[in-house]
Amino acid sequence: MAHGLTISGVLDELREEFPDLTVSKVRFLDAQGLVSPKRSDSGYRRYSHEDIDRLRFVLRAQRDRFWPLKVIKEHLLEHGVDSEVT
């Protein structure tokens, strides 16, 4: 089985900064290619610390800069999550 957090673990991890984050939103960002968690043998998403950092970056870019997903995706491809959004 793959290691990492379940989607509910991700929500717990990010809840303080993003209290309105939902399972649907995380799945949507996955479907958009903004995060690519590994899958367990039974098909469940398993999120690494890198995945959580990436999600945090995406959510901050949306909230703080009002960046559309296309811009966020381009930024991630060019710069990764190490650059600050603020």
Side-chain angles (χ1 to χ4, degrees):
M1 184 158 118
H3 295 286
L5 291 175
T6 61
I7 203 162
S8 62
V10 170
L11 294 179
D12 290 343
E13 187 81 18
L14 297 175
R15 180 168 288 126
E16 187 175 327
E17 187 173 356
F18 304 100
D20 298 330
L21 185 62
T22 63
V23 168
S24 297
K25 173 78 172 190
V26 175
R27 287 183 180 148
F28 174 76
L29 294 173
D30 182 4
Q32 296 299 306
L34 289 159
V35 64
S36 301
K38 301 243 186 276
R39 297 280 183 150
S40 68
D41 294 339
S42 54
Y44 291 102
R45 293 171 177 87
R46 303 299 290 194
Y47 294 85
S48 67
H49 292 292
E50 291 81 15
D51 293 325
I52 293 169
D53 288 345
R54 193 171 173 98
L55 276 171
R56 187 177 285 116
F57 179 90
V58 169
L59 295 166
R60 284 177 179 166
Q62 284 187 306
R63 180 192 67 198
D64 300 343
R65 290 279 182 106
F66 306 103
W67 287 358
L69 294 180
K70 181 181 178 190
V71 171
I72 295 170
K73 195 172 195 175
E74 290 169 358
H75 183 88
L76 285 169
L77 286 171
E78 288 180 27
H79 305 286
V81 297
D82 292 334
S83 58
E84 282 298 313
V85 172
T86 54

